[in-house]
Structure formats: structure tokens, C-alpha cells
Amino acid sequence: MDAQGRGRADNIDPADQWVLNPNTGEYELRLSPSAAQSPVPGPRRPSPRDGDDAAGGRARQTAGKDQQTAGKDRQTPRARGAEVPAPRSARRRGGEPEAPQGRRASRRPVKKKSTAKKVLLWTGGSMAFVLVAVSAAGYLYIKHLNDNITSVSDDGASTGGFRKDEAINILVIGTDKRTGAGNEGYGDSGSVGHADTTILLHVSKDRSNATALSIPRDLIVDVPDCPTEQEDGTTKVIPGTQGVRFNESLGQDDRTPSCTMRTVTELTGIKPDDFMVADFNAVKTLTEAVGGVEVCLAKDIDDPKSHLKLSEGKHTIYGEQALAFVRTRHSVGFGGDLSRIELQQQFLGALMRKLKGNATLTSPTKMVKLAEAGTEALTVDDKLKDIGKLKDLGLELGKLNPKNLAFTTVPVVDNPAEKIHATVVLNESKAPAVFDAISNDVSFTDVKKKEKAAKDAQAARLKGTKAPASEVRVRILNGGAQAGSAQAVLNWLQNDEGVTKSENAGNAPAQLARTTLEYGPDQAAQARRLAAIMGLSGAALKPGESVTNSQGLPAMTLTLGKDFKGAGVSLTAPTKAPDVDKSTADKVKCAS
């Protein structure tokens, strides 16, 4: 009887015979309580069934000889001639296993048209935090996941993709698009969708903490012009609009997620590395895959518009009920979008806790369901479409502890231009501090930074002798500040601060989020003087090489980034997050 037959006879699903080894972090085949286990070398591949062609028999004979030769060495199920069940997807398609050819074939996966790759469960929209949980369990060998993924161009709106050695900013968007299978029946069936739920997920450079910043859909913003790639490969500039709801940055006037990305950059000064978008299906399918998530209510809810009906207390929700939970707003708080954001943040924390639990991570069946759900419900930018890049992102996010993932919301106030409040505007006294903290990689939770040595090294750059201002030689470039900033700084330095050996070098080749000062080894004293004059932090100082100025003399390079606020305004980065309402992913907070 073959492996599949034994599974049916014993009423055991073959997929459940693959068990996580906590010592190795890999899945191993456990055929029986006494059988030895083998680490997964690649995608599971069916072995020939009894009665198959002669090649299969020869392979089994060869495997038997191998076992005798191996002596006391540990043998894998394949080396012993044990039969490994085929993936469920292959059995559903009715595909026959391919017979092995000789000894080499008994140990190597059969080469298929689409090579199986190591992949990590991941998803987008409001479900992006799946990445954090699943990376702790290792890789899933699901060869068709890559084909599930849909990608669209970032249209040059991103940084070009996340980097392992830098802080990460991922824009996750949940759209209320009503078109497409599974999305029918929710409000306006003809809607092209909006940026209904938007979160800027910032993961610190040292991976010790993260901040999930929710952006209200009804926030009044300016949507910039959006160069957008068309199906024929040409680029069309979609005109921007001023004073509109944030959710109109997607879908309306054929705007794509790259336009939402540009709007976020315009609003916060933070340029996202990548984006992920999910529709209604993501919440339904992911919660079903994990068997539901636990949420808590401080009062009964009966919302006929979202169809959510739950009593006070804790509940395990999934599927349509989970979608109703994250969509409801009329029965919580003040009945607006801000109240719904609190529910969504609670839901995401609950999902993350469930995914980090052993009941999910040690079940191959659940992991397969999660991988299917995540990739099918997701659209990503073209920098993330490669499965290897996604694996790398998952590994980076997997270093995060849920207790150090803080949820907060862009500080806003009611729109003073409205008698009946339907929209909100930035709280100008609080929002800039939140954006600055995220831009400067400041934690919103109490964590011990892993980069203490690096921080100390940055602070040390400011200590020591300072050259006279008259000896400071610097070229000034505009790398993202407002037009005319380089000339304004030049005038201020020469006329007010005595830095006469300075010059305007025009625009930088690339835009920067933060202002930097690069200098050569023998220019440290000059750098410390200019840092003191401009209020630059140690992080802004970049030891490197000097450049040649217009007189052919060595000079430093000052590049004004998007954080530049004007000549004479200090650029010292904040070291502490502002006092704003927040919650963390490791705790249950009952919604009221």
C-alpha cells in the first residue's frame, strides 16, 4: 500500500504527518511514532506506488543498498524506501507521481516546469503582519504561490524597495473595491475602490520595534500629480487634487497604489519602500485559515449596516463575521472612521498573537491554508513580486516581538470648515512630532535598542574640537527640501554665520528623507562646527570622502533632505516618541 493509501487507512491526512522540529526550525516527515524523521530538503514529492514501472522498483532496490552501506548513519524516509505523500494540490489535479530513475532520483526532487522555491507566508493590506508571525516557523514549500501573486508598478513613488540594513517602511492598504470574486454584495457593487484602510508600517533599523501608523480615510489631504504606467507601457500623469479625502488617492480617476504612496509621502515626509494591497477577501480567508481570532467588546454591538451582532465580552470570529468586525463603525465610539480604526488595530493585534501561537506555526495544514489565502488576496509593488525578496522581508519582520509593535493613528481634529463634521484635518501641534519620530526611527514602545553602540558612535562624532566657521568649506545640495532651500542656506551661512567658503551646488542626484553632511577623515573638525551651527545630530554626520569644490579644493557635502525646515532651524533628531494614544500587539483592548 502506498503512502497515500496508508494515510487514508489510518484516517491521517498526509499533510499532518509533517511536523515542526523545534530544534531545527524545519518540517520533518513523521510516518509513525517509531519512525525516524528527516528534514525537508525541498517540496514534498510523490514516490512510485507499488506495482509501478520497473524504474520505480530499481529505485527502491537501490535505496535498500544505500541503507546497508550507510551503517549507523541516520537515514531519511526516501533512503529507506519509505513513500512520501504527494502534495494535496497534485492529488486534486489527479496528477500521477513521476517514477524515479536510479539512486540520484531517489534523493532529489523531480525537476518540474516551475521550480519549487522556499517561500514564507505573507500577505498585504491590513494583514501584512502575517509576515511577522510565520517567519518564526521557517519556509513553506509551495511551488505555485509565486503564480498567485499580483503586482503593479510603483511608478517611481517608492525608495526602490526595502533594504536589510535599513529601517523599513511598508504601506499596507485595505481597499473597499467591490468588483472581483468574493467582493460582491458590499455596498456599491460598481465601486472601483478607495484607500479605505491604510497603515504605514515602520520597522526600526535594528528590528527591535515597529510602529503601525493608521491614516484616517476621511483625512483632508492634497493628492499630488501621479505619473502612472499604462497597460501599453506608456506613462500617464493623473492630475492631483487639493483638499480631498485621503481615500480618494486610490481608485478614483484611475489612481493606482503608487498614487497613495505619493500622497503618504506628501503628508508625512516619509517615503515608503514598498506597498501591499488587499481586498475584502483577505480578512475572511485568513481568519478562516487560522481558525478564528479572539476579540473583545466592552458592550453589545448590533450594526445592521455591517451585519455585526456580538455581545459584550470576548469572541472568536472568522470569515464574514471577522470582516463585519473590521468594517463596523456606527456602533462603536462616536460612530466614525476613527472608532473603526481602533477595532481594526485590535483585530490586527489578535491576528498576530494567533499566528505567533504554536497551534498555528506547528500545523502544516494551517500554514498551507495561510499561504494560499495570503498570496491570493494580495497585490504588491513590482519590487516585491520576486518570491526571494518576499522571503527576505519576512525574515526581517520575523525578528520583531509583538509587544514592541505599537499601533497609533495620525493625530487629527474635526474639520473646522464643516458645520456637520464628516472629515478631519491634521492636528498641526501633534502630527509633525509623530512623523518626525518615525522618520528618525524612534520607538513608540519601551525597548532596549540593539544599536546602543552605534548610537554612542554617532554621538561621539559631535565631540571634539571645532574648526572656526571661516575654515569650513562645504558644497550645498538640495536633496528633497523645498525649491530654493540650498540658496537660502548659502545666504544664511555666509551672511549670518561666517561660513564664507560655501557654495550652492544645485540639486542632489537623489532625494533623501533626512539631511546629511558627508566629510573626509581630515574634515571632522569642520563637520563638528557646521553641525553645531545647523543643529545637526550625530546621525546626520556621515564619515566618508571629501569632494572638490568649484575652486578645486576639498570640501564637505551638505545635502538638504525632506526634513529640512528652513535656514537656521535646528535639525536635531528627536530621541523620544511624542505622547499619543497607542496600543501594542501583545495585549487585548476591549472596544467600547
Side-chain angles (χ1 to χ4, degrees):
M1 184 180 296
D2 65 14
Q4 296 181 36
R6 286 196 299 272
R8 289 191 295 270
D10 297 337
N11 196 27
I12 298 175
D13 192 320
D16 292 328
Q17 292 177 297
W18 294 86
V19 181
L20 179 70
N21 185 332
N23 296 321
T24 65
E26 295 186 356
Y27 284 101
E28 299 177 349
L29 178 64
R30 181 171 295 165
L31 295 177
S32 67
S34 60
Q37 301 174 24
S38 65
V40 181
R44 284 182 288 161
R45 177 177 63 85
S47 295
R49 297 175 296 176
D50 292 345
D52 276 352
D53 61 24
R58 288 193 300 272
R60 287 190 292 275
Q61 292 173 7
T62 303
K65 294 178 181 178
D66 290 344
Q67 183 178 11
Q68 296 173 7
T69 304
K72 296 182 180 181
D73 291 346
R74 184 180 182 184
Q75 302 297 309
T76 66
R78 292 192 190 281
R80 295 194 306 274
E83 312 248 336
V84 181
R88 277 190 240 172
S89 58
R91 299 201 299 274
R92 285 198 302 268
R93 293 192 299 268
E96 289 296 326
E98 186 175 327
Q101 301 294 327
R103 177 176 177 181
R104 292 176 66 85
S106 69
R107 295 185 301 174
R108 291 187 177 183
V110 176
K111 187 175 182 179
K112 306 263 180 153
K113 182 177 180 180
S114 177
T115 303
K117 300 177 181 179
K118 285 186 177 182
V119 295
L120 188 67
L121 170 62
W122 62 287
T123 184
S126 59
M127 301 298 101
F129 306 109
V130 171
L131 282 163
V132 177
V134 179
S135 59
Y139 307 134
L140 285 176
Y141 294 77
I142 307 297
K143 63 181 178 181
H144 62 279
L145 287 185
N146 199 47
D147 296 331
N148 287 350
I149 301 169
T150 301
S151 66
V152 296
S153 175
D154 70 354
D155 297 314
S158 76
T159 62
F162 81 94
R163 297 171 180 81
K164 292 183 180 181
D165 57 347
E166 298 291 341
I168 298 174
N169 292 296
I170 305 294
L171 187 65
V172 292
I173 307 169
T175 176
D176 61 349
K177 185 176 181 180
R178 267 75 172 181
T179 57
N183 295 317
E184 309 90 343
Y186 301 101
D188 180 8
S189 60
S191 173
V192 295
H194 305 75
D196 200 48
T197 299
T198 305
I199 296 175
L200 179 62
L201 174 62
H202 172 84
V203 184
S204 68
K205 183 177 180 179
D206 66 2
R207 309 298 184 251
S208 68
N209 65 91
T211 303
L213 179 68
S214 294
I215 303 175
R217 68 168 195 177
D218 296 325
L219 174 63
I220 297 299
V221 298
D222 293 337
V223 177
D225 292 344
C226 298
T228 306
E229 182 178 313
Q230 305 299 297
E231 291 185 1
D232 61 3
T234 61
T235 298
K236 174 184 177 182
V237 177
I238 300 175
T241 53
Q242 287 71 47
V244 296
R245 281 180 166 88
F246 176 85
N247 67 351
E248 293 185 24
S249 64
L250 177 67
Q252 311 308 300
D253 299 323
D254 296 326
R255 292 183 177 120
T256 66
S258 68
C259 195
T260 304
M261 184 178 277
R262 294 183 193 278
T263 305
V264 168
T265 303
E266 186 91 0
L267 173 70
T268 66
I270 302 167
K271 194 170 189 176
D273 300 305
D274 297 282
F275 65 71
M276 299 178 177
V277 185
D279 58 17
F280 291 124
N281 287 317
V283 176
K284 294 186 292 183
T285 56
L286 285 169
T287 52
E288 288 170 349
V290 299
V293 298
E294 186 179 69
V295 296
C296 183
L297 296 175
K299 65 178 182 180
D300 297 346
I301 288 184
D302 186 357
D303 185 357
K305 292 191 176 182
S306 69
H307 306 293
L308 179 66
K309 186 174 183 179
L310 287 176
S311 60
E312 174 186 347
K314 295 182 178 179
H315 300 271
T316 298
I317 59 175
Y318 58 90
E320 293 287 348
Q321 192 176 47
L323 179 59
F325 182 85
V326 298
R327 292 184 67 226
T328 190
R329 60 190 176 96
H330 297 288
S331 299
V332 291
F334 295 104
D337 184 53
L338 296 179
S339 299
R340 178 169 60 180
I341 286 175
E342 294 181 7
L343 285 178
Q344 292 168 346
Q345 292 174 345
Q346 181 195 157
F347 174 83
L348 290 171
L351 179 62
M352 186 174 177
R353 291 192 299 274
K354 185 64 176 283
L355 286 164
K356 294 287 279 188
N358 289 333
T360 299
L361 296 178
T362 57
S363 170
T365 303
K366 287 185 178 180
M367 297 286 275
V368 169
K369 289 180 179 179
L370 283 165
E372 296 283 355
T375 53
E376 289 180 356
L378 183 66
T379 297
V380 299
D381 67 85
D382 52 358
K383 304 299 185 297
L384 278 181
K385 65 181 179 180
D386 177 72
I387 208 70
K389 190 72 172 178
L390 289 168
K391 178 206 70 174
D392 291 341
L393 178 58
L395 291 173
E396 293 303 307
L397 297 180
K399 300 172 184 177
L400 180 67
N401 189 319
K403 70 179 182 180
N404 292 324
L405 168 58
F407 294 98
T408 191
T409 305
V410 172
V412 295
V413 295
D414 289 330
N415 189 347
E418 297 174 336
K419 292 183 178 180
I420 299 178
H421 298 302
T423 62
V424 293
V425 296
L426 276 186
N427 184 329
E428 297 292 351
S429 65
K430 293 183 178 181
V434 173
F435 301 152
D436 282 348
I438 294 176
S439 295
N440 289 285
D441 208 20
V442 177
S443 175
F444 281 67
T445 61
D446 294 328
V447 295
K448 293 181 178 179
K449 302 289 284 182
K450 297 178 182 178
E451 288 191 335
K452 186 178 185 303
K455 298 289 186 183
D456 291 344
Q458 292 173 358
R461 294 170 192 165
L462 299 174
K463 298 178 180 179
T465 59
K466 300 179 179 64
S470 59
E471 294 181 6
V472 174
R473 188 179 289 108
V474 61
R475 298 171 71 248
I476 306 166
L477 291 86
N478 191 330
Q482 291 185 348
S485 293
Q487 186 61 42
V489 170
L490 177 66
N491 294 338
W492 172 66
L493 288 176
Q494 290 185 342
N495 298 329
D496 298 343
E497 301 298 331
V499 184
T500 56
K501 297 177 182 178
S502 51
E503 63 181 39
N504 182 351
N507 292 325
Q511 293 192 340
L512 303 178
R514 299 172 60 184
T515 298
T516 62
L517 175 62
E518 185 174 359
Y519 56 95
D522 58 345
Q523 297 173 316
Q526 294 183 44
R528 286 191 285 268
R529 173 58 65 190
L530 189 58
I533 292 173
M534 297 194 61
L536 298 177
S537 66
L541 272 60
K542 305 294 182 184
E545 297 180 356
S546 63
V547 295
T548 303
N549 66 9
S550 59
Q551 282 78 43
L553 299 173
M556 300 183 296
T557 300
L558 174 67
T559 305
L560 305 178
K562 294 183 179 180
D563 62 338
F564 180 74
K565 299 178 176 63
V569 180
S570 175
L571 287 171
T572 300
T575 58
K576 185 178 179 181
D579 185 15
V580 293
D581 292 336
K582 59 181 181 290
S583 60
T584 54
D586 64 320
K587 297 178 181 178
V588 179
K589 182 179 179 180
C590 297
S592 58

